[in-house]
Amino acid sequence: YRQLMLEIPMVAEFRIAGRKASSWWIHTGLNNAITLKLAEKNSTNSLASAPGPSPNLSTADSLLKAGSRGYIPQWRLGLSYERAVKQQHWQLQPYVQLGLQSVTNSGEPDVSLFQWGLQFWYFFKKIK
């Protein structure tokens, strides 16, 4: 299954160690995920033909129904390392996100969204 989402994070960062040039931050907040498209992936290795333990196909199929949620709020937590020098500034952010509500509407199996990732930000000019 393939899902296309627009995610708008709203986070607050708190410095836990370091100085202006090199510091560690913790960030937390709400990630606003809006589902733009949810469709079955056209592939020979789909859930129906996947080897190994049998997945719960009724749960996967319920995601394709029209009743699936279009907005999924997620709690976001991460740690950032920031480095700033004269004309450059960069940040490395590993994070996890946990869905605050089921992907499907009531009456369907409860499917929560869990994501993790790594973001890298690079700026050509130092932010003051």
Side-chain angles (χ1 to χ4, degrees), residues 110-127:
D110 186 24
V111 178
S112 293
L113 192 61
F114 175 76
Q115 294 176 308
W116 58 272
L118 179 67
Q119 289 182 327
F120 178 75
W121 298 85
Y122 182 83
F123 305 93
F124 291 104
K125 193 167 184 176
K126 181 181 173 183
I127 297 175

Side-chain angles (χ1 to χ4, degrees), residues 17-61:
R19 294 181 239 153
K20 272 188 169 181
S22 177
S23 56
W24 288 91
W25 298 72
I26 190 166
H27 59 272
T28 185
L30 182 67
N31 182 56
N32 300 288
I34 300 165
T35 304
L36 300 177
K37 184 178 180 184
L38 183 63
E40 188 172 1
K41 185 177 178 183
N42 294 328
S43 172
T44 56
N45 189 16
S46 67
L47 284 175
S49 63
S54 171
N56 186 348
L57 295 178
S58 63
T59 301
D61 289 340

Side-chain angles (χ1 to χ4, degrees), residues 86-97:
K86 283 189 176 187
Q87 292 298 316
Q88 62 182 351
H89 176 92
W90 59 269
Q91 216 175 40
L92 190 62
Q93 295 183 342
Y95 67 91
V96 293
Q97 291 178 172

